Amino acid sequence: MRLLLVEDEEGFAEALCTSLKMEHYIVDWAADGEEGLDLALDDVYDAIILDIMLPKMNGLEILKEVRKQGIHTPVLMLTAKSELNDKITGLDMGADDYLTKPFHREELYARLRALTRRQTTDSNAPTEIAFGDIYMLQGGNELFCRTTGNSMVLNGKEYQLMEYLLRNGGQIISREQIIEKVWGYDTDAEYNNVEVYISFLRKKLGFLKSETSIQTVRKLGYKLQ
Ligand code: CA
């Protein structure tokens, strides 16, 4: 799960990023409204945690623009007690939930879980993500093969990478896209990390005796075939 946190209070944002990462979320942090909007419009996030009072552009303006552009990423607004009216405005404008500061971390995790679940149900997205003879079930950690009936457990990064490949079907995805999607912008991951994980996945496809394979497309990236 990849999150965008738009929050200008540096100490608070850093603490939040650290605890979210410990919950295995990938988190990108934007410290002002313009940067927040810019990242939100990339449309690569599973949820956005959006503060209201922000420099350059406030949270409500960001929300309005994001929804105007047809992006339906679930948005959790953070409000201070004094901003109760903003909270109502936010929900009117298409925020999915709100949390009043200060809040307990567990409360935030629960809201995020609910939001990302709701997104799956609302869009009637299939719970199965498939290509060729392989598939994964959303929320699970196993890769299944229809041809042989075998399955294997994938670890965190393997899971995210395979999910990304499956979601792109037979289309080529570049190493840059993989790093961005699986490791996040704010990362030291390099191309060889991608290669290492691709080789792990190839081994697992081999164990499954699947007919589907990951092809390297020279200079462009990878695709399932
Ligand atoms: Ca603020």
Side-chain angles (χ1 to χ4, degrees):
M1 286 281 168
R2 185 157 175 202
L3 304 177
L4 171 62
L5 170 66
V6 191
E7 167 64 64
D8 58 320
E9 290 162 55
E10 199 173 325
F12 175 69
E14 277 174 1
L16 206 53
C17 283
T18 306
S19 49
L20 286 167
K21 281 173 188 167
M22 284 169 70
E23 294 293 304
H24 307 294
Y25 288 104
I26 297 168
V27 192
D28 292 330
W29 169 40
D32 68 60
E34 276 174 15
E35 192 191 355
L37 176 64
D38 214 36
L39 289 175
L41 292 180
D42 285 345
D43 199 14
V44 295
Y45 297 100
D46 298 294
I48 301 172
I49 305 171
L50 188 56
D51 188 29
I52 291 186
M53 295 297 286
L54 292 163
K56 296 187 184 171
M57 186 175 199
N58 75 41
L60 294 171
E61 292 170 309
I62 295 174
L63 176 62
K64 194 174 163 190
E65 190 58 30
V66 164
R67 291 294 183 250
K68 204 173 111 191
Q69 301 284 332
I71 293 171
H72 303 292
T73 313
V75 171
L76 175 68
M77 308 254 3
L78 299 182
T79 66
K81 277 223 170 63
S82 57
E83 301 163 342
L84 278 180
N85 284 332
D86 289 339
K87 176 178 92 190
I88 297 160
T89 316
L91 290 173
D92 280 349
M93 282 167 44
D96 299 84
D97 203 355
Y98 63 89
L99 207 49
T100 307
K101 291 187 200 172
F103 50 83
H104 198 277
R105 293 285 147 81
E106 294 301 327
E107 175 81 36
L108 174 66
Y109 304 151
R111 301 289 180 101
L112 286 173
R113 280 194 296 269
L115 278 184
T116 46
R117 249 199 320 267
R118 196 185 301 167
Q119 182 193 29
T120 316
T121 337
D122 277 0
S123 58
N124 289 320
T127 49
E128 189 183 291
I129 317 157
F131 182 85
D133 66 346
I134 54 169
Y135 68 96
M136 296 195 325
L137 296 175
Q138 210 151 28
N141 62 349
E142 279 178 287
L143 180 66
F144 300 89
C145 175
R146 281 188 227 281
T147 312
T148 60
N150 295 334
S151 70
M152 287 216 81
V153 169
L154 303 183
N155 76 28
K157 290 279 180 255
E158 289 173 354
Y159 177 90
Q160 287 170 12
L161 178 53
M162 186 47 102
E163 185 186 22
Y164 191 39
L165 284 162
L166 284 171
R167 285 195 187 284
N168 282 280
Q171 285 177 32
I172 300 170
I173 48 180
S174 69
R175 292 173 178 81
E176 289 83 359
Q177 286 173 313
I178 292 173
I179 288 181
E180 206 174 279
K181 184 71 185 177
V182 177
W183 278 269
Y185 291 109
D186 189 20
T187 176
D188 299 325
E190 288 171 10
Y191 289 163
N192 53 7
N193 292 62
V194 176
E195 276 153 34
V196 166
Y197 277 89
I198 290 282
S199 76
F200 289 161
L201 287 178
R202 280 180 175 146
K203 271 190 196 130
K204 293 204 165 173
L205 287 171
F207 286 129
L208 289 174
K209 300 195 168 56
S210 167
E211 290 166 359
T212 308
S213 61
I214 303 170
Q215 300 293 312
T216 304
V217 184
R218 218 173 143 252
K219 290 185 178 162
L220 293 176
Y222 302 97
K223 65 171 189 167
L224 287 174
Q225 190 167 291

